[in-house]
Amino acid sequence: MNHLSLRALALSAPLALGIAIASTGSGMAQDTFKVGMAVGGMECCEWMKSQGDVARALAAQRGWDYYELSNKGDAPTALKNAGLFIQEDVDVVIQFNGQPSVNPALAQRFGSAGVPVITYDIAEEGMYFVGIDNLAAGLAGGEALGQIVKEKWNCEPDLVISAEGAGAGIVNTWRTGGMRDGLKRVCPDIPEEKWVSFESVGQATVGLPAARDLLAAHPNAKRMAVVGLNDGGVLAAINAAEQLGRADEIIGWGQDGAFITGPNVNPHLAGSVFYFLEGYAVYAFRDVIDHIASGNPPPVKHDAGDPASRVQPCPVSAEQAQNVPGLQERVAMLLEAPAGTTAYDLFCPNK
């Protein structure tokens, strides 16, 4: 019997007891279902906090307990948090863990305790995968950027720069590699030597020195197209070009939509693929947690290609993104929407 079966049995007993108590009119209360949430906790990204805010609100709507910790973008902290969640006797854990190398250890620890885990965007065997269709998102972003490269430069850029996030594993392969493939669908004859990469770690400030080094190694490049794991990585290359006075003809297309809304969008960021990261909990609760709480846990789907719940990518230009509400407004509107409504349903202009 696997750990989810054990957990289902553990859940079914108090649920059945609660029904029996209610039917007899007893004043005794059943144990409350408890959701644990490990937010990413990186300083770069406000949406990480918002993921917890939405999960907390959805748990409260259901009358459940909620326990939140921050992984702080740190593998040892994520491992420590696993022990704390288990001590708190949570019934399920949602996590965003930006250090996927530790996911096997987390899966083993939670599995031994019989606690089902939902992982956002980074797949791990034994965990429910809830997240974006990474390959589709990459291809969509690459094709959108490819159209710009075709129109502005006749498919003749000096460089196509990839802001990699190798630590994300297959996610980086599908997103960043998908963007390259999408661009090649529009511009198939760009010479191989024009394609270059740097390690961004998915953060503008962290990737900046490596991006500057890359540009220094290609001093004559002017027409530069940038793809990457996320908006932050793409902005690392754009910011480096700005610092070096070489940003006149650099164009980026991001992934995740984190930096494409509001009044201060970098003018060289031509668009992004919205994931509406703040709203992932809607998918997690609707498609996984509600079923676990009812005593009918769904089969674990850990494969990002066959996920427990797939988030639809939403490619938008910078111009279109100006009509999308900002993060906090989106959170408020999402929590006022009918149950099960996703941020994609509410905000994607290209459905």
Side-chain angles (χ1 to χ4, degrees), residues 190-202:
I190 299 173
E192 190 64 31
E193 64 268 18
K194 302 291 187 182
W195 300 83
V196 295
S197 296
F198 72 98
E199 179 55 54
S200 74
V201 198

Side-chain angles (χ1 to χ4, degrees), residues 3 82 85-86 93 95 105-115 117 127:
H3 71 274
F85 283 123
I86 292 167
V93 168
Q95 72 159 11
L106 291 173
Q108 182 178 28
R109 184 167 295 185
F110 283 119
S112 297
V115 178
V117 179
M127 297 181 183

Side-chain angles (χ1 to χ4, degrees), residues 11 16 20 36 89 97 111 121 131 133 195 235 240 249 252 263 312 318 327 336:
L11 289 173
D89 197 28
N97 175 30
D121 272 344
D133 185 335
W195 300 83
L235 284 171
E249 294 190 79
Q312 185 76 12
L327 177 63
E336 293 173 356

Side-chain angles (χ1 to χ4, degrees), residues 156-314:
E156 296 178 352
D158 296 326
L159 288 179
V160 180
I161 301 171
S162 294
E164 309 279 358
I170 191 65
V171 172
N172 182 65
T173 301
W174 281 343
R175 283 192 202 169
T176 312
M179 290 197 79
R180 288 191 290 266
D181 290 343
L183 202 161
K184 288 175 183 178
R185 287 181 178 180
V186 182
C187 296
D189 299 322
I190 299 173
E192 190 64 31
E193 64 268 18
K194 302 291 187 182
W195 300 83
V196 295
S197 296
F198 72 98
E199 179 55 54
S200 74
V201 198
Q203 297 186 49
T205 54
V206 176
L208 187 60
R212 283 198 302 261
D213 289 345
L214 182 148
L215 294 179
H218 298 84
N220 297 319
K222 296 181 179 179
R223 297 176 171 180
M224 296 179 284
V226 187
V227 302
L229 179 71
N230 55 12
D231 283 8
V234 170
L235 284 171
I238 291 173
N239 293 344
E242 291 172 337
Q243 289 184 1
L244 297 172
R246 295 174 56 188
D248 288 349
E249 294 190 79
I250 194 167
I251 303 167
W253 195 287
Q255 290 281 333
D256 76 16
F259 295 106
I260 199 66
T261 60
N264 299 313
V265 176
N266 189 294
H268 300 287
L269 188 62
S272 186
V273 181
F274 268 115
Y275 302 173
F276 301 112
L277 292 152
E278 70 281 355
Y280 275 21
V282 172
Y283 299 87
F285 277 70
R286 182 191 68 190
D287 297 336
V288 180
I289 299 175
D290 286 343
H291 300 285
I292 292 173
S294 71
N296 297 295
V300 176
K301 290 190 173 184
H302 67 267
D303 188 339
D306 181 26
S309 190
R310 179 179 280 114
V311 177
Q312 185 76 12
C314 177

Side-chain angles (χ1 to χ4, degrees), residues 58 61-62 282 329-347:
L58 294 179
Q61 288 174 7
R62 290 158 171 78
V282 172
E329 186 178 355
R330 293 202 305 268
V331 169
M333 293 172 68
L334 182 64
L335 294 175
E336 293 173 356
T341 302
T342 67
Y344 176 89
D345 297 331
L346 293 174
F347 308 120

